[in-house]
Amino acid sequence: MAFSILRNGLKLGKNVQKIVCSKNPVEIAKLEGLRNTAAALSCTQQSCLLTPKITNLELASRGLSSKHDTKPHHERKYQSSSESDCDLEGWLGKRGDSDFWRRKMRTFHSILDLNKDGVISFDDFKLLADGFVDLGHLSEKHTQEFYKVIQDLWEKQFGEITAYNLISVERFLENMHHVLNDKRLVRRAHSFLPYLFKAVDKDASGQITVEEFKLFFNVLGLKEMDAVLAFRAIDSNGDGRISSQEFVKHGRDFFVTEDEERISKYFWGPLVEH
């Protein structure tokens, strides 16, 4: 009887089960045999207290640390594009107010502002996309997907596609602040980055060299020397190559982090002064 209850308790995953002990020596032996296996067990003359153990494998699969994290959740730094939804929600609604983050967004606005008139339109957006397509390294399928992603991003973030929908710096900052703090939008905000990588990965190796990274900066209208410096910063292991995962990670971090020490700040070239 007692062993049957114990087994059912384990199946149900209860945190604590109180079990009436049998006087039967066989049943007691079975209970004692569980001390070092599925659960921690302590008994008195009347009852047993069963506390299921969590194995190291279970800890790892849940992404839990064996050390106690004393930082409040909202103070933890956003680390990578692979963080869980729970981690994302920890800082949603609390980002985008630092001068450093606003400076990064102004930098990106200046890149999109191809004619440097202080505003961006969908034409600017598409012309920049054309620059990557014109490199000739995207397949027809990826080219079509890329243009679709660009159009969807514009419409979701900036509204209708007309010659009169012009986005100033301040409106861009306001919009990106909204994107940063909306869990649905922020997870799509970097969807164009894999296509940029494919566009400059001319040998389709899945990794880009500094020469291929120069293509990236060239399309953005940035200097070759700046490309070299940015590449060296992003290539943290110094192997002379950046993978697609690294590229997307740092490109996304640029938009979602406010940590001035993160190397992602170099991803889109030198930051504007103010």
Side-chain angles (χ1 to χ4, degrees):
M1 172 66 178
F3 185 68
S4 175
I5 296 174
L6 173 61
R7 182 178 55 202
N8 291 334
L10 284 171
K11 287 182 179 179
L12 293 173
K14 300 294 186 181
N15 289 331
V16 175
Q17 293 286 335
K18 190 174 183 181
I19 305 157
V20 178
C21 287
S22 170
K23 297 297 184 180
N24 188 319
V26 175
E27 293 290 279
I28 293 175
K30 289 180 180 179
L31 288 171
E32 290 293 324
L34 292 172
R35 285 187 185 275
N36 298 316
T37 56
L41 184 69
S42 59
C43 291
T44 65
Q45 292 183 346
Q46 287 77 31
S47 65
C48 287
L49 189 64
L50 171 66
T51 306
K53 292 180 180 179
I54 300 176
T55 66
N56 291 335
L57 181 59
E58 288 172 326
L59 284 171
S61 67
R62 297 181 193 181
L64 298 176
S65 170
S66 59
K67 294 182 179 179
H68 180 62
D69 187 356
T70 57
K71 282 189 177 182
H73 190 77
H74 69 275
E75 291 181 4
R76 298 173 197 166
K77 301 291 186 184
Y78 176 81
Q79 295 298 324
S80 73
S81 59
S82 63
E83 288 205 2
S84 68
D85 289 352
C86 291
D87 292 323
L88 283 171
E89 291 174 1
W91 49 258
L92 288 171
K94 302 171 183 177
R95 296 286 180 166
D97 293 327
S98 69
D99 289 338
F100 177 69
W101 182 84
R102 294 172 66 85
R103 184 183 172 196
K104 289 197 295 182
M105 295 308 102
R106 289 191 182 96
T107 298
F108 191 65
H109 183 277
S110 71
I111 290 172
L112 295 176
D113 181 15
L114 298 182
N115 62 3
K116 307 305 177 187
D117 62 354
V119 294
I120 59 174
S121 65
F122 180 72
D123 285 343
D124 291 312
F125 221 54
K126 186 176 181 300
L127 281 172
L128 193 58
D130 289 342
F132 286 100
V133 171
D134 290 344
L135 291 175
H137 306 142
L138 287 174
S139 67
E140 182 62 30
K141 176 189 175 187
H142 287 147
T143 297
Q144 293 177 3
E145 290 176 356
F146 183 34
Y147 281 128
K148 181 65 166 60
V149 166
I150 290 298
Q151 180 174 331
D152 287 347
L153 278 175
W154 180 273
E155 291 176 334
K156 286 181 173 65
Q157 293 183 209
F158 305 114
E160 60 183 349
I161 299 175
T162 71
Y164 305 102
N165 186 13
L166 304 176
I167 312 300
S168 65
V169 175
E170 287 307 315
R171 183 179 169 191
F172 184 77
L173 288 170
E174 180 181 349
N175 176 271
M176 291 304 294
H177 185 276
H178 172 67
V179 169
L180 181 63
N181 291 289
D182 186 308
K183 64 182 179 181
R184 296 167 302 171
L185 294 176
V186 75
R187 293 185 183 112
R188 291 196 298 258
H190 67 295
S191 56
F192 64 98
L193 289 170
Y195 297 98
L196 303 189
F197 182 88
K198 289 179 182 295
V200 299
D201 182 18
K202 60 183 180 181
D203 60 357
S205 66
Q207 295 182 317
I208 57 175
T209 63
V210 66
E211 293 303 318
E212 290 170 315
F213 196 77
K214 288 177 183 177
L215 292 177
F216 174 52
F217 266 42
N218 183 59
V219 176
L220 298 178
L222 300 173
K223 297 177 181 179
E224 185 174 290
M225 182 53 68
D226 291 329
V228 174
L229 295 174
F231 184 89
R232 288 176 180 172
I234 295 171
D235 179 24
S236 55
N237 64 1
D239 66 353
R241 295 182 177 277
I242 296 174
S243 68
S244 174
Q245 183 179 6
E246 289 176 299
F247 185 90
V248 172
K249 175 189 181 301
H250 292 302
R252 186 191 190 194
D253 278 358
F254 180 92
F255 296 106
V256 302
T257 64
E258 296 183 278
D259 184 353
E260 297 187 37
E261 300 303 315
R262 299 296 288 273
I263 58 178
S264 59
K265 66 184 177 182
Y266 301 111
F267 188 85
W268 300 98
L271 300 182
V272 297
E273 291 300 321
H274 302 289

